[in-house]
Each structure stands twice: as C-alpha cells, then as structure tokens.
Amino acid sequence: KKTVDPKDDSSQKVVQLETAMGAAIECFKGATAIVVPRTRFAPVKKCNDLLLLRSDAYLLENNKPVLNPACGGNAPEMSLDSKKYKLVGALEEATVGGIPSLVRCTKLKVSGLVRMGKGTKFVGDVEIVNNSDEAKFVPA
C-alpha cells in the first residue's frame, strides 16, 4: 500500500499493482527475455539502493557501476528508516556533508534521523537508533 502523494502521508491510501514484464513480453512477436546478473547493473528502487550506489561500495568502470572488489563480492545489506528516508530529499539532507564509506560495511540499519559526512566510515554490522525528532550527526 502507498499514498497517492508520496510526500504526504495523510493523502489517500492506494494499492499499486505492477505487471511483470515477463507477462507483457508475449505480446511482441519474436521477443525474448534475457537474464542480466546483478554484476551488470545496480537497481535503484529505494533510498537504501541510492545511498549504496553513491558510496565507495560501488565503482564506475566504463561508465557502469560495479561492486567494489574490496566488498568481497557482497554488497552491504542496507536498511534505512522507511518513514524518514522515503524520498530522495531526505537522503540528500542526511548526506549533505558527503557520502559515508560503506566499502567495509556488511550491514547498515538506520532508525530515525541522522546526518553523515564524507569522513564517516561504517565497518561490519552497524545499527544506529535515534528516537528524537532532531537529526543526530554520526561522527567520522
């Protein structure tokens, strides 16, 4: 379930239906599907994905994002507070001081409002909880 206006939690609730591309492809004569491994693309559906892609956990090679080999073949598991980081603007505010390092992070869970900077480095499994209404800065 979502709201009609993603910027307004009080707007009318709706159910979004998505049709699988595989079902639609049969409408085109001669069309085929191919499987593209995640090593060839980095999907961005949520702010979790965008933060990860912007971080040093990914590198650009020939204008394509690829997982940094220093991650050991696994991208960090990301979980940003879905109520606080629902829209890109909130992520922009959280990272106004720069994108933190995630290359040595295995799991990052953020609950509440935080601010991070370019010098902030997350290592291993990290959980940050801020129960106040005021954003807290994660130091470098």
Side-chain angles (χ1 to χ4, degrees), residues 2-3 21 35 45 51 54-55 57 61 69 88 94 103-104 107-108 118 123:
K2 295 183 169 196
T3 56
M21 216 31 225
V35 176
K45 285 190 85 172
L51 177 60
R54 287 179 173 178
S55 78
E61 290 184 4
V88 174
V103 73
R104 296 184 55 215
K107 183 177 182 178
L108 175 62
K118 188 173 183 166
V123 178

Side-chain angles (χ1 to χ4, degrees), residues 18-35:
E18 295 183 13
T19 304
M21 216 31 225
I25 202 165
E26 69 184 31
C27 299
F28 302 97
K29 186 177 180 178
T32 60
I34 59 171
V35 176

Side-chain angles (χ1 to χ4, degrees), residues 94-130:
T95 58
V96 72
I99 304 298
S101 174
L102 295 170
V103 73
R104 296 184 55 215
C105 182
T106 51
K107 183 177 182 178
L108 175 62
K109 181 177 181 180
V110 176
S111 301
L113 290 172
V114 298
R115 299 289 179 262
M116 337 175 207
K118 188 173 183 166
T120 306
K121 295 180 182 185
F122 295 111
V123 178
D125 288 2
V126 179
E127 182 172 0
I128 300 169
V129 178
N130 176 16

Side-chain angles (χ1 to χ4, degrees), residues 2-3 26 37 39 47 54 60 62-63 68 76 82 84 89 93 95 100 116-117:
K2 295 183 169 196
T3 56
E26 69 184 31
T39 55
C47 287
R54 287 179 173 178
L60 278 179
N62 298 320
N63 294 319
N68 189 328
S82 61
K84 304 294 183 188
E93 286 182 35
T95 58
M116 337 175 207

Side-chain angles (χ1 to χ4, degrees), residues 52-66:
L52 186 58
L53 191 61
R54 287 179 173 178
S55 78
D56 57 359
Y58 276 87
L59 305 172
L60 278 179
E61 290 184 4
N62 298 320
N63 294 319
K64 295 178 193 165
V66 294

